Amino acid sequence: MKSTTPPYQFVSEAKLPTRFGDFKIHGFVETLSGQEHIALSYGTWENSDIVPIRIHSECLTGDALFSTRCDCGFQLEKALQNIVDNGCGVLLYLRQEGRGIGLLNKIKAYNLQDEGFDTVEANQHLGFDADLRDYSICKLMLDKLGVNKVELMTNNPKKLAALEGMGVNVVARKPIDHGVTKDNKHYLMTKTSKMGHTFDPDKLK
C-alpha cells in the first residue's frame, strides 16, 4: 500500500525576539530523513500581498562563527533587517550546510581552497556537484505561512527557478549583494562566473 505520509510536516511555532525585531519561528521536518528546517516570519499580510522572502541555507561558519571567507552571515543579517524595515516578511532557513555537502566536508573543501582550489573545484574534487541544495520544502513552508506572492531576496538564479517551478508566484527579485571582504572576494567572483550568481561587479573590484 502506498504511504500517505506527507514528505514534509509542520511541527510547531513560537515567538522569537531578536536584535532585529520580534519574529515568530516555525519548525518543519522532512518525514523520511528527519532533517529539520525553520522559517522566521515577521509582521502580518493578506493573501494578495507581495511578501519579501529570503531562502537561506545554513552556514555555521558564517552565520554563527562570523567567518568572512563567505558572505552568508552578512546576507542573513541584511535579509532580516530588510524584512523588519519592510514591516513584514519571511526567512526560510534550510539545514543544508556547505551547499548540501555537510559541515565536515565543507571544512575539507575549505582546506582545498587554502591550497588554491576555488569553491566549485573544491566540491568537485571531493566527489560532489558544485551545488546539491534542494528547495522543494519551500513551497510547503510558504503555503503554511499563507504567502502567495513573493519578492525574493537572492543573487542565485537557481532559487528563483526552483520557486517558479513549484508554482510560487515570484513577482520580483531583489539583489542582496552585501558583505564583500578581502577574504571572500575570490569566492564571490567564482559564484558569479561559474554558478551564475548576479552580483554587482563594481563591488568585486
Side-chain angles (χ1 to χ4, degrees), residues 180-182 185-186 188-189 199-205:
V180 180
T181 73
K182 63 180 179 60
K185 187 173 289 189
H186 182 259
L188 296 174
M189 291 173 65
F199 207 95
D200 183 352
D202 290 336
K203 295 186 177 182
L204 298 178
K205 290 181 180 178

Side-chain angles (χ1 to χ4, degrees), residues 76-147:
L76 175 61
E77 293 191 2
K78 182 64 173 177
L80 292 173
Q81 189 62 61
N82 285 348
I83 287 170
V84 171
D85 290 345
N86 181 76
C88 72
V90 171
L91 185 135
L92 306 181
Y93 195 91
L94 307 184
R95 304 291 302 280
Q96 35 192 15
E97 180 79 46
R99 296 200 301 275
I101 68 173
L103 178 60
L104 298 186
N105 281 319
K106 185 172 82 168
I107 295 173
K108 293 179 182 178
Y110 277 175
N111 178 261
L112 290 171
Q113 291 171 43
D114 292 340
E115 296 176 1
F117 290 75
D118 66 35
T119 182
V120 170
E121 294 166 346
N123 277 26
Q124 292 172 339
H125 188 78
L126 291 172
F128 302 106
D129 289 339
D131 194 340
L132 294 172
R133 289 175 293 183
D134 178 13
Y135 303 110
S136 56
I137 194 174
C138 294
K139 179 68 164 60
L140 168 74
M141 298 168 88
L142 293 173
D143 286 348
K144 174 63 180 176
L145 298 174
V147 175

Side-chain angles (χ1 to χ4, degrees), residues 22 26 37 39 43-44 52 59 61 86 95 97 125 137 151-152 165 177 200:
D22 293 337
H26 313 263
H37 308 281
T44 60
C59 176
T61 49
N86 181 76
R95 304 291 302 280
E97 180 79 46
H125 188 78
I137 194 174
E151 177 190 66
L152 180 63
D177 42 6
D200 183 352

Side-chain angles (χ1 to χ4, degrees), residues 9 19 43 48 57 61-62 65 91-92 139 158-159 170 181 191 193 196-197 204-205:
Q9 292 181 327
R19 60 187 175 88
S48 59
S57 296
T61 49
L65 301 179
L91 185 135
L92 306 181
K139 179 68 164 60
K158 286 187 176 180
K159 292 180 181 179
V170 183
T181 73
K191 289 206 299 183
S193 63
H197 288 219
L204 298 178
K205 290 181 180 178

Side-chain angles (χ1 to χ4, degrees), residues 20-56:
F20 300 96
D22 293 337
F23 285 78
K24 283 187 178 179
I25 185 169
H26 313 263
F28 298 81
V29 63
E30 296 182 23
T31 308
L32 294 179
S33 68
Q35 183 64 280
E36 299 167 343
H37 308 281
I38 62 170
L40 297 182
S41 66
Y42 182 85
T44 60
W45 49 83
E46 303 294 333
N47 288 337
S48 59
D49 290 344
I50 299 171
V51 180
I53 73 164
R54 163 77 179 162
I55 301 172
H56 190 90

